[in-house]
Amino acid sequence: MLAINEVLRGRYRIIKQLGHGGMGAVYEAQDNVFDTTVALKEILIDLTKITTPKQQQIVRSAFEREAKILAMVKHEAFPHVRDYFIEADSQYLVMELVDGEDLGSLLEKRQSPFPLANVLYWTDLLLDALDYLHSNEPPIFHRDLKPQNLKLTARGRIKLLDFGIAKSAE
Protein backbone atom coordinates (compact mmCIF):
# COMPACT_ATOMS: atom_id res chain seq x y z
CA MET A 1 0.00 0.00 0.00
CA LEU A 2 1.31 3.43 -0.95
CA ALA A 3 1.47 6.26 1.57
CA ILE A 4 -0.11 9.69 1.20
CA ASN A 5 2.48 12.13 -0.25
CA GLU A 6 4.71 9.25 -1.39
CA VAL A 7 6.28 10.09 -4.76
CA LEU A 8 6.87 7.50 -7.46
CA ARG A 9 9.39 8.00 -10.25
CA GLY A 10 10.05 11.51 -8.95
CA ARG A 11 6.79 12.48 -10.61
CA TYR A 12 3.57 11.02 -9.16
CA ARG A 13 2.65 12.21 -5.63
CA ILE A 14 -0.05 10.13 -3.93
CA ILE A 15 -3.01 12.24 -2.79
CA LYS A 16 -5.42 9.54 -1.57
CA GLN A 17 -6.52 5.97 -2.14
CA LEU A 18 -9.65 5.68 -4.28
CA GLY A 19 -10.22 1.93 -3.98
CA HIS A 20 -8.55 -1.42 -3.51
CA GLY A 21 -9.00 -5.10 -4.26
CA GLY A 22 -7.16 -8.39 -4.13
CA MET A 23 -4.72 -7.42 -6.88
CA GLY A 24 -3.80 -3.91 -5.71
CA ALA A 25 -5.22 -0.42 -5.34
CA VAL A 26 -6.12 2.74 -7.24
CA TYR A 27 -4.91 6.15 -6.06
CA GLU A 28 -5.50 9.75 -6.95
CA ALA A 29 -2.08 11.24 -7.65
CA GLN A 30 -0.59 14.56 -8.71
CA ASP A 31 1.54 14.39 -11.86
CA ASN A 32 4.26 16.93 -11.07
CA VAL A 33 5.47 17.07 -14.69
CA PHE A 34 2.14 18.06 -16.27
CA ASP A 35 0.64 19.54 -13.08
CA THR A 36 -2.50 17.42 -13.42
CA THR A 37 -4.36 14.91 -11.30
CA VAL A 38 -4.29 11.29 -12.49
CA ALA A 39 -5.46 7.85 -11.44
CA LEU A 40 -2.55 5.58 -10.52
CA LYS A 41 -3.42 1.89 -10.52
CA GLU A 42 -1.05 -0.33 -8.54
CA ILE A 43 -1.02 -4.03 -9.39
CA LEU A 44 0.84 -6.17 -6.88
CA ILE A 45 2.95 -9.07 -8.14
CA ASP A 46 3.57 -12.02 -5.82
CA LEU A 47 7.06 -12.97 -6.97
CA THR A 48 7.25 -15.81 -4.41
CA LYS A 49 5.07 -17.83 -6.80
CA ILE A 50 7.23 -16.91 -9.79
CA THR A 51 10.47 -18.73 -9.23
CA THR A 52 12.57 -18.29 -12.36
CA PRO A 53 13.84 -15.08 -13.95
CA LYS A 54 12.31 -16.22 -17.25
CA GLN A 55 8.84 -16.54 -15.65
CA GLN A 56 9.24 -13.14 -13.99
CA GLN A 57 10.12 -11.63 -17.38
CA ILE A 58 7.01 -13.24 -18.92
CA VAL A 59 4.82 -11.60 -16.24
CA ARG A 60 6.48 -8.22 -16.79
CA SER A 61 6.14 -8.56 -20.58
CA ALA A 62 2.45 -9.44 -20.28
CA PHE A 63 1.85 -6.31 -18.19
CA GLU A 64 3.76 -4.15 -20.65
CA ARG A 65 1.81 -5.64 -23.57
CA GLU A 66 -1.52 -4.95 -21.84
CA ALA A 67 -0.47 -1.40 -20.92
CA LYS A 68 0.49 -0.70 -24.54
CA ILE A 69 -2.83 -2.10 -25.79
CA LEU A 70 -4.75 0.09 -23.36
CA ALA A 71 -2.68 3.14 -24.32
CA MET A 72 -3.76 2.63 -27.93
CA VAL A 73 -7.46 2.66 -27.02
CA LYS A 74 -8.88 5.95 -28.30
CA HIS A 75 -12.56 6.14 -27.39
CA GLU A 76 -14.41 8.56 -25.14
CA ALA A 77 -15.81 5.70 -23.04
CA PHE A 78 -12.36 4.67 -21.77
CA PRO A 79 -9.91 6.57 -19.57
CA HIS A 80 -6.73 7.41 -21.46
CA VAL A 81 -3.62 5.54 -20.27
CA ARG A 82 -0.72 8.01 -19.99
CA ASP A 83 2.13 5.94 -18.61
CA TYR A 84 3.08 2.58 -17.14
CA PHE A 85 6.03 1.35 -15.15
CA ILE A 86 7.24 -1.43 -12.86
CA GLU A 87 8.88 -0.84 -9.48
CA ALA A 88 9.92 -3.62 -7.10
CA ASP A 89 6.96 -6.00 -6.77
CA SER A 90 4.36 -3.67 -8.26
CA GLN A 91 3.19 -2.65 -11.70
CA TYR A 92 1.60 0.75 -12.27
CA LEU A 93 -0.77 2.20 -14.85
CA VAL A 94 -1.18 5.97 -14.95
CA MET A 95 -4.54 6.97 -16.36
CA GLU A 96 -6.93 9.84 -16.78
CA LEU A 97 -8.78 10.43 -13.52
CA VAL A 98 -12.50 10.03 -14.16
CA ASP A 99 -14.75 12.19 -12.02
CA GLY A 100 -18.19 10.90 -11.14
CA GLU A 101 -19.74 7.95 -9.36
CA ASP A 102 -19.98 4.36 -10.48
CA LEU A 103 -23.40 2.94 -11.32
CA GLY A 104 -23.16 0.44 -8.44
CA SER A 105 -22.86 3.25 -5.86
CA LEU A 106 -25.59 5.26 -7.56
CA LEU A 107 -27.92 2.26 -7.52
CA GLU A 108 -27.27 1.75 -3.80
CA LYS A 109 -28.07 5.39 -3.06
CA ARG A 110 -31.23 5.39 -5.20
CA GLN A 111 -32.65 2.14 -3.80
CA SER A 112 -34.64 1.88 -7.04
CA PRO A 113 -33.97 1.18 -10.72
CA PHE A 114 -32.74 3.90 -13.04
CA PRO A 115 -35.25 5.37 -15.50
CA LEU A 116 -35.55 3.20 -18.62
CA ALA A 117 -34.56 6.08 -20.94
CA ASN A 118 -31.27 6.52 -19.05
CA VAL A 119 -30.51 2.80 -19.13
CA LEU A 120 -31.17 2.61 -22.88
CA TYR A 121 -28.94 5.65 -23.51
CA TRP A 122 -26.12 4.21 -21.39
CA THR A 123 -26.54 0.83 -23.08
CA ASP A 124 -26.10 2.44 -26.51
CA LEU A 125 -22.93 4.18 -25.29
CA LEU A 126 -21.59 0.97 -23.77
CA LEU A 127 -22.37 -1.13 -26.85
CA ASP A 128 -20.57 1.42 -29.04
CA ALA A 129 -17.54 1.20 -26.74
CA LEU A 130 -17.54 -2.60 -26.77
CA ASP A 131 -17.92 -2.63 -30.55
CA TYR A 132 -14.86 -0.35 -30.72
CA LEU A 133 -12.83 -2.73 -28.52
CA HIS A 134 -13.89 -5.83 -30.42
CA SER A 135 -13.12 -4.15 -33.77
CA ASN A 136 -9.46 -3.62 -32.84
CA GLU A 137 -6.80 -5.82 -34.36
CA PRO A 138 -6.35 -7.89 -32.28
CA PRO A 139 -9.76 -7.58 -30.57
CA ILE A 140 -9.79 -6.54 -26.91
CA PHE A 141 -12.18 -8.17 -24.43
CA HIS A 142 -12.92 -6.43 -21.14
CA ARG A 143 -14.39 -9.47 -19.27
CA ASP A 144 -15.52 -7.61 -16.14
CA LEU A 145 -18.60 -5.58 -17.04
CA LYS A 146 -20.53 -4.65 -13.91
CA PRO A 147 -22.11 -1.49 -12.46
CA GLN A 148 -19.04 -0.86 -10.24
CA ASN A 149 -16.85 -0.58 -13.39
CA LEU A 150 -19.11 1.96 -15.12
CA LYS A 151 -18.73 5.59 -14.06
CA LEU A 152 -21.30 8.22 -14.89
CA THR A 153 -19.61 11.50 -15.79
CA ALA A 154 -20.97 14.99 -15.10
CA ARG A 155 -22.08 15.10 -18.74
CA GLY A 156 -24.15 11.93 -18.27
CA ARG A 157 -21.74 9.78 -20.28
CA ILE A 158 -20.45 6.34 -19.34
CA LYS A 159 -16.77 5.53 -18.76
CA LEU A 160 -15.78 1.86 -18.62
CA LEU A 161 -13.08 1.28 -16.00
CA ASP A 162 -10.87 -1.50 -14.71
CA PHE A 163 -9.14 -3.22 -17.55
CA GLY A 164 -7.23 -5.30 -14.99
CA ILE A 165 -8.39 -8.52 -16.56
CA ALA A 166 -8.78 -7.27 -20.13
CA LYS A 167 -7.55 -9.72 -22.71
CA SER A 168 -6.62 -9.31 -26.31
CA ALA A 169 -7.29 -12.16 -28.70
CA GLU A 170 -3.56 -12.33 -29.50
Side-chain angles (χ1 to χ4, degrees):
M1 186 147 324
L2 299 174
I4 303 302
N5 290 320
E6 184 173 345
V7 177
L8 298 174
R9 301 196 91 182
R11 176 174 183 172
Y12 304 108
R13 183 180 56 80
I14 303 303
I15 296 171
K16 66 181 177 181
Q17 186 179 45
L18 299 173
H20 67 292
M23 298 289 290
V26 178
Y27 302 88
E28 180 178 336
Q30 178 68 30
D31 180 343
N32 295 326
V33 171
F34 290 120
D35 196 28
T36 59
T37 307
V38 297
L40 183 85
K41 182 173 185 177
E42 175 187 39
I43 301 138
L44 302 173
I45 311 166
D46 185 359
L47 292 177
T48 62
K49 295 179 182 174
I50 305 170
T51 54
T52 69
K54 184 175 182 174
Q55 289 173 326
Q56 291 175 359
Q57 185 55 43
I58 288 170
V59 168
R60 292 176 197 276
S61 294
F63 170 73
E64 184 173 340
R65 187 172 50 254
E66 182 172 314
K68 285 180 178 179
I69 288 169
L70 294 177
M72 290 187 305
V73 170
K74 303 281 190 264
H75 191 284
E76 66 180 337
F78 307 106
H80 178 68
V81 173
R82 298 177 179 196
D83 193 9
Y84 68 91
F85 57 95
I86 298 172
E87 282 190 9
D89 293 343
S90 295
Q91 303 166 326
Y92 297 93
L93 278 177
V94 181
M95 300 174 285
E96 163 193 359
L97 181 65
V98 179
D99 290 327
E101 287 193 73
D102 68 74
L103 293 184
S105 297
L106 291 171
L107 266 174
E108 253 182 57
K109 287 180 185 177
R110 287 179 57 84
Q111 293 294 305
S112 65
F114 294 113
L116 180 59
N118 292 23
V119 173
L120 292 174
Y121 174 67
W122 297 334
T123 301
D124 280 343
L125 296 174
L126 183 58
L127 289 173
D128 180 65
L130 293 174
D131 178 62
Y132 169 84
L133 286 179
H134 299 169
S135 298
N136 273 276
E137 195 53 52
I140 301 167
F141 303 102
H142 186 278
R143 299 185 352 155
D144 196 20
L145 292 177
K146 60 185 178 184
Q148 293 77 9
N149 286 342
L150 296 168
K151 265 202 177 176
L152 186 61
T153 69
R155 292 186 52 227
R157 309 291 287 200
I158 291 291
K159 287 271 192 177
L160 180 55
L161 308 176
D162 198 359
F163 276 81
I165 60 170
K167 297 291 179 202
S168 95
E170 213 170 46

